[in-house]
């Protein structure tokens, strides 16, 4: 019996998930919450997510990270295209959410970003 060792390309093909290689439109938002308003912000954000879940064209996914002091959140969003991201920013549900959340936010900084590298699943 002969044991054949696969070449690197074969291993990569087996281990690499079958995902589209088109670049995604990603954005990162740093949001500083007003003192004493963190729990209210999280509740509002969670309700908004439940209201729009599965209804936004082109959304690939998102993550919200919470700083240990519970005064800052980082939102990372990904869309199929920049046009999908732009369309969502104009969605009346999102606009209304921003108006409601504005009273709870001290400051925010948003920026589109490009993927530099990726390791694992986040």
């Amino acid at each position: 019996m002969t044991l054949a060792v696969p070449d690197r390309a074969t291993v990569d093909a087996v281990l690499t998930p079958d995902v589209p290689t088109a670049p995604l439109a990603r954005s990162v938002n740093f949001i500083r919450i007003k003192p004493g308003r963190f729990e209210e912000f999280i509740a509002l954000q969670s309700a908004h997510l439940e209201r729009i879940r599965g209804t936004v064209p082109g959304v690939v996914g998102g993550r919200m990270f919470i700083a240990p002091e519970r005064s800052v959140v980082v939102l990372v969003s990904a869309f199929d295209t920049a046009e999908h991201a732009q369309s969502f920013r104009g969605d009346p549900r999102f606009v209304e959410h921003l108006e409601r959340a504005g009273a709870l936010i001290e400051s925010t900084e948003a920026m589109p970003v490009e993927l530099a590298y990726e390791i694992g699943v986040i």
Side-chain angles (χ1 to χ4, degrees):
M1 176 171 162
T2 303
L3 178 62
V5 177
D7 60 41
R8 178 70 184 185
T10 302
V11 172
D12 286 344
V14 170
L15 296 178
T16 303
D18 187 19
V19 295
T21 58
L24 300 175
R26 294 181 176 92
S27 66
V28 176
N29 294 275
F30 300 90
I31 303 170
R32 182 165 300 281
I33 311 303
K34 289 182 178 178
R37 308 300 293 271
F38 184 80
E39 296 303 325
E40 188 178 354
F41 174 82
I42 295 300
L44 184 65
Q45 190 70 21
S46 296
H48 173 65
L49 176 61
E50 289 305 313
R51 185 170 51 252
I52 65 168
R53 185 185 302 269
T55 66
V56 180
V59 72
V60 174
R63 302 287 186 271
M64 181 169 67
F65 301 92
I66 301 171
E69 72 277 1
R70 303 179 80 73
S71 64
V72 175
V73 300
V74 178
L75 295 174
V76 179
S77 304
F79 294 84
D80 284 330
T81 66
E83 291 76 21
H84 284 113
Q86 182 64 32
S87 177
F88 177 64
R89 285 190 286 276
D91 184 311
R93 299 168 301 174
F94 181 65
V95 172
E96 182 269 334
H97 173 68
L98 288 181
E99 290 170 359
R100 292 177 64 202
L104 309 175
I105 295 173
E106 190 171 283
S107 65
T108 184
E109 183 177 350
M111 67 186 79
V113 295
E114 294 179 11
L115 181 66
Y117 67 84
E118 188 173 62
I119 300 173
V121 177
I122 294 183

